[in-house]
Amino acid sequence: MDRIADIWGAPTPHARGTVWPVRVDQHLHEGVAEADVEQWVQSACLLCSNGCGVDIAVKDGRMVGVRGRAGDVVNHGRLGPKGLYGSTPWASAPDRLTRPLVRDGDRLVETDWETAMGRVVQESKRLLDKAGPLTHAFYTSGQLFLEEYFALATIGKAGLGTPHMDGNTRLCTATAAAAMKESFGADGQPGSYTDIEHCDAIFLYGHNMAETQTVLWSRVLDRTRGDDPPRVVCVDPRRTPVAREAERTGGVHLAPKVGTNLALVNCLAREVFANGWVDEEWVAAHTLGREELWETVSSYDPERVAGICGVDADDLRRAARIFGESGAVLSTVLQGFYQSHQATASSVAVNNLHLLRGMIGRPGCGILQMNGQPTAQNNRECGADGDLPGFRNWDNPKHIDELARLWNVDPLTIPHWAPPTHAMEIFDHAEAGSIEWLWVSATNPAVSMPESGRIRRILAQESLFVVVQDLFLTETAQLADVVLPAAGWGEKTGTFTNVNRTVHLSEDAVRPPGEARSDLEIFLMYARAMGFTDKDGAPLAAWETPEEVFDAWREASRGRPVDYSGLTYAMLRGGSGIPWPVNESAPHGTDRLYADAQFPSDTEVCETYGHDLLTGAEVTEEEHRAMAPGGRAFLKGAEYSAPHEEPSDEYPLLYTTGRTAYQFHTRTKTGRARSLQKAAPAAWVELSVDDARQLGVAEGDVVRVESPRGSIEVPARVGEVMPGAVFAPFHYGSWEPEQGATAGAGPGQANELTMAVWDPVSKQPYFKTAACRVTKVRDGAGPSPAPTTTASRPAADAGTAGRRSVPQTAGGDATSSTLVDDPPRFPLDPAQDGDH
Amino acid sequence: MPRLATYVGLVDHAEQVLAESLRTVAEAQAKHPDIHFMCETLAKMSDAHREELAPVVERYGEDDASEPERLHAAGLGEARTGPLGLLRDLQDLHVLAHLVLSSWTVIRQGAQGLRDRELLEVAEASAAETRRQIAWLQTRMKVAAPQALIVSP
C-alpha cells in the first residue's frame, strides 16, 4: 500500500463503545524481505506527539524498517506515513555527523571528543569565574528521552544553577501545559485516546489532527465512519480534512479570522450559560470562579462574535448546541490555538467548557491539550524547559526544598526567584550580551524560531559561544563553535511519554555511527568534566546508565501528580506503553485523570498559583491561599483583544504558518526519507482563490511574500485557505538533500516573516498572527510542490487561477497492513471493562 | 465637597500620567515585544478609567488641585536605556501605579461617605484593574532583576 497516497490507511470502522480494531502496519527498506529481518527491537515512534508503539527491524547492524506494535494502547498496530517512511533512513544517511567539530576561523574542523568537550568546559569555567552561572543557557528539544531531560535539568539547576534553560517545547507545547496549570492547578492530560471510542461529539480547536497526528485521526475516522458516529466540530481558518469531516458528520466548521479564537470560545461558553446547559451542582462542588466567568463571557453573544470572527452566528449557535446537548464530548487543542493570539486564555476557555458541563474524568468526556513533539511531555515533567522537575512550583519554597533534598544541594543553588527563563528571553539576553554560552541540543532554532533572521544573527554573534549537539550539520550547527555528534532514536535507550501520558521504552537497536554518542552520555560527560558536586562533595549526576537516571526520576516524581514511582523498565518491556500515574494506588497505570473530580489545585500541591490571563501577572501565594481551592478546578476567563499586528494598506494579508503531513520540523529526518521528501519536496504558500485572482496569480506562479521582518519567494498553491490569509509551511530552511545546509536562510523559510511576540502566560511565540503582502514574481514552470492529499489540496473552484492541472500526490514505497482478528487485551481500555 | 473634587482631579491626572509613562516605556522597548505590547495594554486600562470617571468629573466640576505641584506626580519623562534602565523604568511605573491605587482608595472612602454609587463603582473597578497593572509590573521586575543586576554588560 502506498501510504503517501493514502495517509490514514485502510479504514476499520466500528461502533461506539467497542474496542478499536487492530491493524498492523509495516514498512521495510527496499530489497529487505520480512524473512531477512534478524531482530525486532521495541520502541515507540518519534515523528509526532502521538507516541505509537513500534518495533524496529534490524539487519546487518542497520535499522531497515518498522512495524506497529499490535498490543500497544496508543496505536493498536497502526503507523502513519512519517513513522513508516521516516523512522529509519536518516540513520544510515551518508552525511551523519560521526566526529566532533570545532570552529577554526570560518570553518568547522573535525576533532576528537577530548578536544571538543575540552573547549566547552574551558569556556564554561572561564565564564563561571568571570560572572557566574547567569552567563550560561541551554536550549533543548522535544525529541530527547526522559532520562536526558532529567540529567540536563539536574546539571543546569543543581550543578550550574542557571535559570536559563528551555526547549523548543516552548514553540509547540508550552500553552498546553500552561492551560492545564491554570485550570487544574498542575500539568497532566485529563483525557485519554480511549475517549474517542465513547464520545458523541469531537471538538478540534486549531488542530488539524488529520495531518499532525495521522494515526489518531484514523482512530477518529473509524468512529465517524462506523455505527453511532460522533459529530465533529472543527475550528480552523483552513478547510482541512478535519473541516470536511465536520461537514460530513453533520457537525460544524467554524473558520474564524486568524487571531480571534478567544472571542469564539467565549461565545460558546456564553451559549452554554444562556441555554442552561451548565451542570450547576457539579460546578458548585468542584470549581471556583463561575460568577466571574459569566461576567466575562456574557457579552459574547453570537451576533457580536460573528462580527469579530467573520463566522456565521447560526453556526456558532449550532456548535454550542452540539456541545451543550451531547452526553460526552472530547475536545482537542493544538497549534491553531497555541501559536495564535491569546493562546493560553483561548485554551483555558476550552477547559472551561468541559468544567461547566462537568465533562471530565469519565469515558468519552476528555480534554486533550495536545503536544507538537514526541517527547515534549517529558521535558515538561523533568524540567529541562520552563518547569521544575515533577511539576513543582518554583514559587513554593517547600517544593524547592524537596528538590534540594533529592539532589542534596543547598536550596539557594536552585534558581527559583522567577520561573525558568523562556526561550525568547534567552535569545534576548544573548543578543544583549549577558548570556555568553549557549548549548543547543536536538533542535534547529536557525530555522524554527520566529524572526529567524534575527536568531541567526544572535547565534553568529562573536560574544556568544555556541555548542550544538545533533545528528547532522543543520543550519544551526553551521553557526556553532563546537558541534557534538549525537546518537539518535534506535541508537540509544530511554523512555518517553506521549500526549495522553503513555510511557514507552525505546531500546537501542543498533550502534551509533562513528564516534557519535547518546545525548545522555554527552551531558554526563560535561557534568564529570566540570566536577559538579552535591553539598557533601559527592559527584552530582553520577549516573552510568539510562535506567539509573530513570530510577532517580521515579523518586523525583513520587507523590507528585506526575507519579512514575511504580513504573520500571521491566514493566515497560514486552507489553504496551503504560500511562502515568503509576504508583501504589494505580499499579497498572491510569487511563484517565480526575475520575474523582479532585484536582491538584491545593496551595501546597499546585504547580503554579496561576496568572492573570490577560497580562501574565502572577497570582501570589497569599491570594491563592485565600481562594482555598482545596481540589477544585478554576474557571478562568479573559476578554478578547485584537491581535498585535493587523493587516494594513502596506501589508494587507494575514500570514500564518503550519505543518504538512509528510514533513516533521525542519526535515532533519523526514527530508532524508525518499517517499516523504518526494511528497512535499519544497516550500510553497497557499492563497485563496479570491486573493489569487486579485493578485493575478495562477497555480505554481512564483510569488514574493513580505512582512516587515523579511521575505520569501516560493510557488503559490491556489488552495482552500480562507480569503485574506496566506499559509506557509514552516519546515523548509536552507538544507537540501545532497547539498546540505548553509548558515543562511532558505528561499522558502517561513520564519523569516514571523514576529517575535509571545503569549503573556505560556510565553509561546505567536507564529500565526503577522501581516504580509504578496506580489507575483514570475510565471510558474509547473504546479506548486504542495501536496494534494492534505489541507494544501488545490481549491475545487479555482477556475482560471488553478488552470494548471495538479498531479495527485502519490508514489510512496510499498508498505503492508494486516488486520488482526484476535486482538490482544488492551490494559485499562474502558471498552474492555466487561472482562477486566 | 471641594476636597473630594480635588481628589477626583488628582486621580484623573495620575491616571493620565501613568498612561503616558506606560506609553513612553512601550515606545522605548519596541525590541522587547512583551513589554512593548503589555505597556500599551495597561495604558489603555488607564485611559478607560478616565473615561469612566469623566461623568463624575463633570458633576463635581473640574476643581483642579489648588496646589498641583505638591499633589501631582511627575511622569517618567523619557525612558532609560539598557537592562538596568528598564528595571528602573518598571520601578517608576510601579510607584506611579501605587499612587493611582491609593488615590482610588481615598476616593472610594469619600464616595461611600457621600453614598455616590456611580463614583463608588468607578473607584472599585478602577482600583481592581490598577492592582492588575501593579501585579504585572511586579512580575516583570522580578524576572528582569537578576540578569540586569548581575551580568548585564
Side-chain angles (χ1 to χ4, degrees):
Chain A
M1 181 182 283
D2 172 2
R3 291 292 300 279
I4 295 296
D6 187 351
I7 295 175
W8 306 289
T12 49
H14 66 111
R16 177 177 176 165
T18 62
V19 177
W20 188 31
V22 173
R23 182 191 90 197
V24 175
D25 297 342
Q26 176 176 311
H27 170 64
L28 296 172
H29 290 194
E30 208 175 341
V32 178
E34 199 168 325
D36 299 335
V37 176
E38 291 156 7
Q39 200 188 354
W40 292 96
V41 179
Q42 180 178 356
S43 181
C45 182
L46 205 66
L47 285 171
C48 84
S49 62
N50 202 51
C52 297
V54 71
D55 287 321
I56 306 169
V58 180
K59 177 180 181 285
D60 299 331
R62 285 180 59 193
M63 297 194 275
V64 292
V66 287
R67 77 172 173 213
R69 287 176 66 83
D72 198 276
V73 291
V74 169
N75 54 318
H76 293 212
R78 286 167 194 71
L79 293 173
K82 284 199 293 277
L84 285 165
Y85 296 123
S87 287
T88 50
W90 59 270
S92 42
D95 56 339
R96 274 295 292 276
L97 287 170
T98 56
R99 296 197 67 198
L101 308 173
V102 291
R103 183 155 296 281
D104 177 13
D106 57 1
R107 292 185 317 139
L108 285 165
V109 295
E110 284 195 358
T111 186
D112 54 33
W113 273 100
E114 210 184 323
T115 308
M117 189 53 81
R119 278 211 198 176
V120 176
V121 168
Q122 186 190 1
E123 192 59 16
S124 198
K125 286 184 169 165
R126 184 185 73 78
L127 288 166
L128 286 179
D129 284 346
K130 187 184 94 169
L134 298 190
T135 50
H136 282 55
F138 294 85
Y139 185 58
T140 184
S141 178
Q143 295 171 57
L144 297 183
F145 290 169
L146 177 150
E147 294 78 0
E148 293 163 339
Y149 296 128
F150 188 60
L152 192 59
T154 303
I155 289 165
K157 289 170 174 65
L160 280 164
T162 176
H164 306 319
M165 181 181 289
D166 202 0
N168 65 15
T169 46
R170 184 67 67 177
L171 317 181
C172 86
T173 187
T175 303
M180 293 192 275
K181 289 183 217 174
E182 296 298 326
S183 295
F184 313 126
D187 195 351
Q189 192 69 269
S192 166
Y193 292 169
T194 60
D195 288 324
I196 293 170
E197 277 83 65
H198 298 273
C199 65
D200 43 25
I202 306 181
F203 278 59
L204 297 102
Y205 295 94
H207 182 195
N208 182 9
M209 188 197 281
E211 292 188 59
T212 54
Q213 288 86 11
T214 60
V215 172
L216 199 59
W217 182 242
S218 64
R219 192 167 183 160
V220 170
L221 288 177
D222 284 344
R223 277 291 324 278
T224 59
R225 308 292 169 124
D227 288 341
D228 196 3
R231 280 183 289 180
V232 174
V233 176
C234 168
V235 180
D236 199 312
R238 291 205 298 167
R239 196 157 172 275
T240 61
V242 176
R244 295 201 292 274
E245 198 64 8
E247 289 159 7
R248 209 193 59 80
T249 56
V252 188
H253 174 210
L254 297 165
K257 266 189 253 171
V258 173
T260 64
N261 293 330
L262 182 57
L264 188 146
V265 191
N266 278 354
C267 176
L268 298 182
R270 189 250 177 215
E271 290 295 287
V272 167
F273 275 111
N275 289 288
W277 291 320
V278 174
D279 184 342
E280 297 289 359
E281 203 179 319
W282 196 93
V283 165
H286 301 297
T287 69
L288 284 165
R290 182 203 180 279
E291 293 314 311
E292 293 85 345
L293 180 63
W294 168 241
E295 253 173 61
T296 305
V297 302
S298 56
S299 66
Y300 290 82
D301 57 87
E303 269 67 32
R304 178 184 167 214
V305 171
I308 296 172
C309 300
V311 299
D312 189 272
D314 283 333
D315 283 347
L316 287 165
R317 283 195 191 88
R318 279 177 53 222
R321 182 162 294 277
I322 292 172
F323 193 88
E325 293 185 343
S326 294
V329 180
L330 169 64
S331 292
T332 74
V333 192
L334 194 58
Q335 309 306 1
F337 271 45
Y338 298 164
Q339 296 182 341
S340 195
H341 187 56
Q342 299 190 285
T344 304
S346 306
S347 306
V348 163
V350 174
N351 295 342
N352 289 342
L353 288 171
H354 280 260
L355 292 170
L356 286 173
R357 293 214 56 219
M359 286 204 301
I360 193 163
R362 54 195 162 89
C365 296
I367 301 169
L368 295 172
Q369 297 280 359
M370 299 295 292
N371 303 340
Q373 293 180 85
T375 78
Q377 184 63 45
N378 302 109
N379 202 348
R380 277 151 49 186
E381 295 166 2
C382 298
D385 61 349
D387 300 304
L388 293 184
F391 295 167
R392 285 182 174 81
N393 181 356
W394 61 267
D395 211 5
N396 182 340
K398 286 183 191 142
H399 286 192
I400 301 301
D401 285 345
E402 287 170 14
L403 285 176
R405 272 197 302 278
L406 274 164
W407 284 322
N408 192 31
V409 296
D410 184 335
L412 266 180
T413 309
I414 304 168
H416 63 281
W417 52 78
T421 315
H422 64 91
M424 303 301 290
E425 188 85 359
I426 286 176
F427 279 87
D428 240 27
H429 289 327
E431 187 174 40
S434 67
I435 284 175
E436 300 178 69
W437 185 101
L438 173 67
W439 187 329
V440 180
S441 46
T443 186
N444 193 6
V447 179
S448 58
M449 286 193 86
E451 229 182 310
S452 47
R454 169 173 173 257
I455 298 298
R456 286 195 309 279
R457 277 197 303 281
I458 295 170
L459 288 168
Q461 255 172 226
E462 201 56 41
S463 64
L464 185 66
F465 181 81
V466 178
V467 183
V468 172
Q469 172 174 326
D470 212 310
L471 307 171
F472 295 96
L473 198 61
T474 61
E475 288 87 341
T476 303
Q478 298 279 356
L479 297 163
D481 295 285
V482 174
V483 180
L484 304 174
W489 177 88
E491 298 167 344
K492 59 180 186 178
T493 293
T495 54
F496 56 94
T497 305
N498 78 340
V499 169
N500 77 332
R501 296 171 279 102
T502 304
V503 188
H504 284 105
L505 177 66
S506 179
E507 305 255 28
D508 62 328
V510 299
R511 290 180 58 78
E515 296 173 28
R517 298 188 187 186
S518 80
D519 298 275
L520 180 63
E521 279 177 78
I522 299 172
F523 293 144
L524 296 179
M525 189 192 312
Y526 169 72
R528 270 194 304 276
M530 290 296 290
F532 295 130
T533 54
D534 66 15
K535 65 183 182 191
D536 297 326
L540 197 73
W543 301 299
E544 299 285 339
T545 66
E547 193 164 1
E548 286 173 24
V549 186
F550 185 81
D551 289 340
W553 161 249
R554 290 169 56 201
E555 283 314 305
S557 72
R558 186 183 293 277
R560 293 295 301 156
V562 52
D563 197 337
Y564 280 62
S565 59
L567 192 60
T568 62
Y569 270 27
M571 286 163 68
L572 291 167
R573 275 199 182 102
S576 166
I578 299 173
W580 61 255
V582 190
N583 52 24
E584 278 166 16
S585 43
H588 305 293
T590 308
D591 188 37
R592 190 172 284 93
L593 296 184
Y594 310 138
D596 55 359
Q598 281 299 302
F599 300 93
S601 60
D602 190 86
T603 306
E604 301 302 330
V605 176
C606 65
E607 189 177 5
T608 174
Y609 301 132
H611 298 82
D612 182 326
L613 296 183
L614 178 75
T615 65
E618 282 149 7
V619 175
T620 65
E621 190 208 327
E622 294 79 3
E623 289 166 335
H624 193 269
R625 213 174 274 287
M627 290 188 280
R632 286 175 290 175
F634 296 96
L635 290 164
K636 276 195 180 182
E639 296 282 342
Y640 161 77
S641 66
H644 295 313
E645 188 169 283
E646 297 210 86
S648 59
D649 289 345
E650 204 180 346
Y651 299 101
L653 296 166
L654 277 165
Y655 181 76
T656 175
T657 70
R659 291 137 191 83
T660 182
Y662 302 112
Q663 299 284 7
F664 187 61
H665 273 220
T666 60
R667 298 183 296 152
T668 310
K669 286 178 178 171
T670 52
R672 289 174 172 87
R674 190 182 47 180
S675 297
L676 295 171
Q677 176 64 12
K678 212 169 60 182
W684 69 91
V685 293
E686 289 162 42
L687 302 175
S688 71
V689 176
D690 291 356
D691 292 321
R693 200 168 285 144
Q694 213 163 3
L695 294 160
V697 172
E699 169 66 34
D701 286 352
V702 176
V703 295
R704 180 180 299 119
V705 186
E706 291 166 277
S707 82
R709 291 155 294 278
S711 68
I712 51 175
E713 273 191 26
V714 284
R717 159 64 37 90
V718 180
E720 298 200 317
V721 66
M722 71 189 290
V726 177
F727 174 90
F730 84 111
H731 309 290
Y732 301 91
S734 68
W735 176 83
E736 287 301 330
E738 268 92 66
Q739 295 164 29
T742 71
Q749 190 164 320
N751 276 318
E752 293 294 285
L753 280 73
T754 48
M755 269 178 109
V757 288
W758 53 85
D759 184 71
V761 180
S762 70
K763 312 295 191 289
Q764 183 158 354
Y766 293 162
F767 289 93
K768 296 184 190 283
T769 48
C772 71
R773 64 171 169 246
V774 176
T775 45
K776 182 174 162 177
V777 176
R778 60 177 178 275
D779 286 342
S784 73
T788 63
T789 39
T790 61
S792 64
R793 72 178 194 171
D797 54 349
T800 52
R803 61 183 176 267
R804 287 191 182 85
S805 72
V806 182
Q808 281 293 306
T809 301
D813 290 345
T815 73
S816 68
S817 270
T818 313
L819 293 178
V820 176
D821 292 332
D822 186 19
R825 259 196 61 78
F826 292 101
L828 308 173
D829 190 330
Q832 284 183 332
D833 261 358
D835 54 15
H836 199 61
Chain B
M1 302 160 278
R3 288 303 164 202
L4 181 60
T6 301
Y7 246 84
V8 167
L10 170 66
V11 80
D12 186 51
H13 183 260
E15 286 277 20
Q16 185 189 349
V17 171
L18 177 59
E20 283 167 3
S21 302
L22 282 162
R23 290 202 166 90
T24 302
V25 175
E27 209 169 309
Q29 298 297 335
K31 278 184 77 179
H32 295 101
D34 60 332
I35 293 167
H36 174 78
F37 288 113
M38 198 50 64
C39 284
E40 283 185 349
T41 302
L42 301 186
K44 281 184 204 148
M45 283 184 184
S46 290
D47 295 346
H49 301 166
R50 296 187 66 211
E51 272 171 45
E52 295 288 319
L53 188 64
V56 180
V57 172
E58 217 156 274
R59 266 200 290 126
Y60 287 123
E62 184 79 51
D63 178 6
D64 207 0
S66 53
E67 33 187 358
E69 70 283 357
R70 294 192 55 197
L71 277 176
H72 284 177
L76 205 58
E78 63 185 74
R80 301 174 178 90
T81 56
L84 207 58
L86 169 62
L87 195 57
R88 283 288 289 118
D89 282 352
L90 291 172
Q91 235 183 323
D92 277 354
L93 291 172
H94 196 244
V95 170
L96 276 172
H98 272 287
L99 175 69
V100 171
L101 181 61
S102 57
S103 303
W104 283 122
T105 306
V106 169
I107 287 170
R108 180 180 175 277
Q109 300 304 94
Q112 277 202 326
L114 285 170
R115 300 173 196 170
D116 183 335
R117 194 176 300 277
E118 186 189 18
L119 182 56
L120 191 61
E121 277 172 13
V122 174
E124 284 180 351
S126 299
E129 279 205 334
T130 309
R131 283 191 204 97
R132 295 173 80 182
Q133 293 173 317
I134 290 170
W136 179 79
L137 290 163
Q138 175 94 11
T139 299
R140 198 64 188 78
M141 279 191 298
K142 280 168 70 180
V143 170
Q147 202 74 7
L149 297 179
I150 300 168
V151 279
S152 72

